[in-house]
Amino acid sequence: MDQDKRTLDFLRLFVRHQQELYAYILTLVPHVHDADDLFQEGMTVMWRKFDQFQPGTNFAAWGVQVMRYQILDYRRHLARSKRVLMEDSLFETLMNYLPTIQDEMAVRIEALRKCQSLLDDRAKRIIKMRYEHNTPVEGIASYLKVSRRHVYHLLGQINGVLLRCLRRTLAEGSRTI
Amino acid sequence: MRKPPFPNMDELIQRLLDDQIQPDEMARLGRAIREDTRVRDYYIDSLLVSAAIRRSSQVTGELSGADLIEALSSGAGHRRSRRLVRCLYASAAVLMLGVLILVSLTLFGTKAKGPPIGRLAGTYEARWRGARLRPGEALHVGAYDLREGMARMELDQGTSLLLEAPCQVKLTSVGEVTLRNGRLAVVVSAQARGFRVRTRTTLITDLGTEFGVIARPDGSTEAHVLEGRVNVALDPNISSRPTSLVVNEGQATVVDASGRAIRDGLAARPGDFVLQLPPSSRPTGSVKPLNLADIVGGGNGRGTGRLDRGIDLATGQPLKGPATAIRWTRRNEFRPTPQLPGIDGVFVPNGALGPVVISSTGLTFSECPRTTGSYFGGPANSGKFFDLPSQQSYPARLNGLSFGTSTHPALSLHPNAGITFDLDRIRRDHPKVRIDRFTALCGIPRDLPQSQFSAADVWVLLDGMVRLHLNYPVERNVVAEVDVPIPTQTRFLTLAVTCSGRADYSWIFFGDPYLE
């Protein structure tokens, strides 16, 4: 039973904070497939080390520490390959800066959830294809009968719309407070 | 901050996420993030958007899933209506099932956890799903999913397994492996005689041998005996009658997707399997090599060219998108390419029509064989080929690696085609680069919709003199390492691909085509 409770506790915390953890990884490893792998590996390590987590403390902050080592290990491993990696100086800049805004992440994600629901149907469909069905950009281009470059342009536009909505929502939130 | 800090930043970030960003673009973006806090904040928020969407729509469930779990564990639903409680519990059960499947897959599926039964003996640019294994590490009973590259596993009784990506295997014991999907070569020691490879439809048992197995996604299985013999049996759970046969050296057998029919007496294709890992990639020196595929894509050799752009052999003009028609020409004409710096021109080689001119200065390719004069598109900065019957694009894999990316560029050259690079012009554009050699991997991807119709030949010429000739016979798959030294005074480097017969599916790629 203790094991069941431990599993349930872990899952509850992990599901609640998964987007914050994934955002941390993706910002430092901006490549979705590698970020997915690191997320899964990091989850495994967090599960193994869950005994070290102090209940009542900040689960996301603890998770970020675990993920940090996974990411450093990943960069060491890829350093000799020909992959286009983020430069060390940029990586260090972001890695040092991210913990300073970690506490705001949950609020931003909540705001984004609202913004996502405001997108028009076409944008929702494109997002669904790209993120839910993992359709390659070529596939989306073929579906929409546009060029691959235009799909990147559309995705960029959607990103821009969501960002503007995020900023607006956060600003409105701070005014009411 | 209402707009991105520089015009195409949104698009750049999207391509970054897909590993489609070029090195110079990455450097520009990185510099901007470091130097301008507005760019940094925009970058972080953009990645947050992508992360939040991606993790809110996948198998881990919507964010509201956390509420359902809480409802399940705290009994909050007792205060609600019975219908709502039923609904909540049903949703929670589905969510929990999904999460637990994810957890079990993550914790126990992607990284093997059973007892150790061997070690990872070597790798070639390997990427594993859910794990980062290094040579020398112990291998355990369990599943391994090789996404990119190649790997050699050595099991404790001396059996060697050579995996070529994409390949999913499950190590069951020192005496058995299940090949779920992909291509595997097995070298069995005398001590391990009787080693078994299972697929979804077939059981292959070693009788003292080297053999290769291909398990296709539809369930069909091929067994190729390279040395010795194997026994191939249909899975009795699928086939209504027990069927097995002994396959001898040099022979192959195919079990169909239903697992009920077995076809033997076929010739083995040893070239379809790798028995030795290629040497590791060369570390990049202080001066980066020049990427010839990028120059074909209209770039400067440093990643500024466009992917999937090529050159029309009929006009010498830049070409967008994949070729969708086979064309013929009855004249040997050299087409200059003034719009593409570094490229002198292109041509359709056919030795039967008189001298084949390969440069603007009138150099000829005297050894050029007779061809049909047919061609399909032209040289392209691309790792894809368009298959006319299925109307689909196929990606190129050589040695288990995906080509046609910013990491591993590809120059595709479908027969009959030739391209001549002007090295003097390239030297002028890159005065710091010393051009000593042309290096690449050259081959035809293994997993084509159909086998090539006739043998293909690849030619590398320096100032009109043949320096390398590679032959690609039908059904003998070879990936060659090209390394052609280039003397200092050489002006023209020519790459040509020819086919004496029909050129269908002779999809030649130069992977990592660099001037170093």
Side-chain angles (χ1 to χ4, degrees):
Chain A
M1 286 303 286
D2 282 351
Q3 185 64 14
D4 290 347
K5 184 178 179 310
R6 180 177 177 266
T7 306
L8 203 61
D9 285 347
F10 177 78
L11 288 177
R12 190 176 59 225
L13 287 165
F14 194 87
V15 170
R16 187 185 296 162
H17 296 286
Q18 58 170 322
Q19 289 166 317
E20 292 162 68
L21 296 169
Y22 189 70
Y24 178 80
I25 295 172
L26 197 63
T27 307
L28 294 169
V29 182
H31 179 250
V32 284
H33 297 303
D34 289 358
D36 284 352
D37 283 350
L38 280 165
F39 182 75
Q40 286 198 5
E41 287 171 36
M43 182 181 170
T44 311
V45 177
M46 286 174 71
W47 167 245
R48 274 200 229 114
K49 295 187 171 181
F50 190 49
D51 289 338
Q52 297 170 17
F53 172 69
Q54 304 245 321
T57 59
N58 188 332
F59 182 81
W62 175 73
V64 158
Q65 283 305 312
V66 174
M67 297 299 186
R68 183 171 178 270
Y69 288 109
Q70 296 295 114
I71 294 168
L72 289 170
D73 193 37
Y74 156 87
R75 281 183 65 85
R76 267 195 297 275
H77 184 63
L78 278 190
R80 289 174 58 198
S81 78
K82 289 179 181 166
R83 295 283 291 275
V84 182
L85 274 179
M86 192 182 270
E87 287 170 12
D88 287 345
S89 56
L90 172 61
F91 176 76
E92 281 160 19
T93 303
L94 291 170
M95 197 167 62
N96 292 333
Y97 179 69
L98 284 175
T100 66
I101 56 166
Q102 189 62 43
D103 292 344
E104 304 165 23
M105 287 296 194
V107 180
R108 287 173 188 230
I109 287 166
E110 180 58 31
L112 270 174
R113 187 139 54 104
K114 288 175 188 158
C115 293
Q116 218 178 307
S117 66
L118 300 176
L119 288 173
D120 64 35
D121 286 347
R122 186 175 190 239
K124 280 180 184 163
R125 201 161 55 240
I126 293 172
I127 279 186
K128 198 177 173 74
M129 288 172 83
R130 178 158 166 84
Y131 295 106
E132 197 167 334
H133 300 157
N134 280 325
T135 309
V137 165
E138 288 82 359
I140 302 175
S142 158
Y143 174 77
L144 296 174
K145 296 186 172 45
V146 296
S147 69
R148 192 165 156 271
R149 193 177 174 79
H150 190 68
V151 174
Y152 278 120
H153 178 68
L154 289 173
L155 288 166
Q157 273 188 334
I158 296 169
N159 182 59
V161 167
L162 286 171
L163 272 187
R164 283 194 289 279
C165 172
L166 171 67
R167 301 269 158 168
R168 204 168 46 242
T169 311
L170 291 175
E172 283 165 4
S174 49
R175 271 202 298 275
T176 46
I177 292 166
Chain B
M1 194 195 313
R2 290 286 178 264
K3 288 182 179 174
F6 57 86
N8 65 341
M9 187 168 169
D10 287 323
E11 186 186 322
L12 215 54
I13 288 171
Q14 291 301 317
R15 286 199 282 117
L16 173 65
L17 291 169
D18 271 0
D19 202 16
Q20 294 293 327
I21 196 164
Q22 301 294 336
D24 64 318
E25 293 173 326
M26 184 69 225
R28 189 160 62 100
L29 181 64
R31 201 165 44 243
I33 295 171
R34 274 198 313 275
E35 292 172 358
D36 186 340
T37 54
R38 289 181 318 136
V39 180
R40 180 197 64 194
D41 292 347
Y42 197 90
Y43 169 83
I44 289 173
D45 279 345
S46 297
L47 275 287
L48 177 66
V49 167
S50 296
I53 296 172
R54 195 165 174 78
R55 293 250 57 96
S56 69
S57 56
Q58 297 213 333
V59 280
T60 42
E62 298 286 335
L63 260 188
S64 58
D67 303 330
L68 293 173
I69 286 183
E70 279 191 333
L72 184 72
S73 58
S74 67
H78 289 305
R79 293 186 296 273
R80 305 179 187 188
S81 74
R82 286 180 66 187
R83 188 176 169 193
L84 178 61
V85 170
R86 272 204 307 276
C87 179
L88 262 177
Y89 271 75
S91 306
V94 170
L95 175 81
M96 283 300 291
L97 184 64
V99 172
L100 288 171
I101 287 170
L102 174 78
V103 170
S104 62
L105 280 174
T106 304
L107 301 185
F108 310 111
T110 55
K111 191 161 184 176
K113 289 288 176 296
I117 55 168
R119 70 183 184 98
L120 185 64
T123 59
Y124 171 76
E125 302 219 9
R127 278 186 61 221
W128 304 87
R129 179 180 165 77
R132 273 196 301 283
L133 297 166
R134 293 184 182 84
E137 275 190 32
L139 296 169
H140 300 258
V141 166
Y144 293 87
D145 184 351
L146 182 65
R147 283 182 172 186
E148 284 284 320
M150 295 185 188
R152 194 171 89 242
M153 297 175 158
E154 280 183 1
L155 303 186
D156 284 347
Q157 285 185 343
T159 302
S160 283
L161 308 175
L162 280 117
L163 287 65
E164 183 176 343
C167 183
Q168 296 168 298
V169 295
K170 184 179 178 192
L171 303 182
T172 315
S173 68
V174 286
E176 184 173 308
V177 60
T178 299
L179 178 63
R180 290 172 172 164
N181 186 37
R183 192 182 299 265
L184 177 71
V186 186
V187 181
V188 185
S189 67
Q191 195 189 353
R193 192 180 163 110
F195 185 84
R196 295 175 301 278
V197 178
R198 277 184 197 278
T199 69
R200 274 189 275 171
T201 52
T202 313
L203 176 63
I204 300 148
T205 307
D206 154 66
L207 300 172
T209 195
E210 287 179 10
F211 61 98
V213 183
I214 302 171
R216 300 200 186 279
D218 65 1
S220 60
T221 298
E222 294 179 27
H224 297 249
V225 183
L226 314 179
E227 198 178 311
R229 293 182 304 157
V230 298
N231 184 75
V232 176
L234 299 181
D235 185 334
N237 294 323
I238 298 174
S239 174
S240 52
R241 57 195 167 85
T243 305
S244 71
L245 55 88
V246 172
V247 186
N248 293 312
E249 187 171 321
Q251 293 187 332
T253 189
V254 177
V255 174
D256 76 347
S258 71
R260 293 192 181 92
I262 189 165
R263 191 154 58 100
D264 66 341
L266 305 170
R269 297 194 306 270
D272 275 15
F273 301 93
V274 177
L275 292 172
Q276 279 194 329
L277 296 179
S280 298
S281 298
R282 293 174 300 278
T284 306
S286 54
V287 179
K288 286 187 178 172
L290 290 170
N291 169 1
L292 287 182
D294 184 64
I295 292 174
V296 171
N300 61 1
R302 299 288 195 207
T304 57
R306 299 252 181 98
L307 279 174
D308 303 325
R309 295 291 174 100
I311 307 168
D312 189 340
L313 287 166
T315 63
Q317 297 293 310
L319 185 72
K320 291 180 189 173
T324 53
I326 299 170
R327 297 181 190 281
W328 281 266
T329 180
R330 305 226 170 270
R331 293 161 65 181
N332 272 337
E333 282 187 333
F334 180 76
R335 300 285 182 188
T337 51
Q339 292 183 42
L340 295 161
I343 300 175
D344 191 41
V346 294
F347 55 96
V348 179
N350 185 355
L353 299 176
V356 179
V357 178
I358 59 169
S359 78
S360 55
T361 58
L363 288 172
T364 57
F365 174 14
S366 53
E367 290 90 343
C368 181
R370 167 191 292 270
T371 71
T372 60
S374 67
Y375 61 97
F376 188 50
N381 176 25
S382 177
K384 286 181 285 195
F385 264 115
F386 187 73
D387 176 40
L388 287 176
S390 64
Q391 295 284 297
Q392 281 185 1
S393 286
Y394 282 79
R397 269 183 189 271
L398 298 176
N399 284 347
L401 292 179
S402 302
F403 281 92
T405 64
S406 56
T407 316
H408 288 293
L411 167 54
S412 63
L413 208 56
H414 190 290
N416 297 285
I419 179 169
T420 298
F421 294 90
D422 184 342
L423 300 181
D424 276 357
R425 173 63 197 264
I426 294 174
R427 287 187 190 102
R428 277 203 303 278
D429 292 345
H430 300 277
K432 288 184 182 170
V433 177
R434 192 178 139 173
I435 297 173
D436 287 330
R437 54 206 327 115
F438 166 59
T439 60
L441 281 180
C442 183
I444 299 175
R446 294 187 205 284
D447 294 307
L448 302 182
Q450 286 194 53
S451 297
Q452 61 189 100
F453 282 26
S454 55
D457 291 280
V458 171
W459 312 80
V460 180
L461 298 91
L462 297 179
D463 286 341
M465 304 295 290
V466 174
R467 297 297 181 196
L468 181 70
H469 173 206
L470 301 168
N471 180 251
Y472 290 85
V474 175
E475 297 201 336
R476 218 189 107 219
N477 214 302
V478 182
V479 177
E481 284 202 40
V482 174
D483 188 350
V484 178
I486 301 177
T488 321
Q489 69 280 10
T490 305
R491 177 171 175 192
F492 293 115
L493 165 67
T494 301
L495 309 178
V497 179
T498 58
C499 247
S500 300
R502 281 184 63 176
D504 307 50
Y505 300 102
S506 291
W507 291 354
I508 293 280
F509 284 91
F510 289 91
D512 289 337
Y514 288 116
L515 288 176
E516 303 186 14

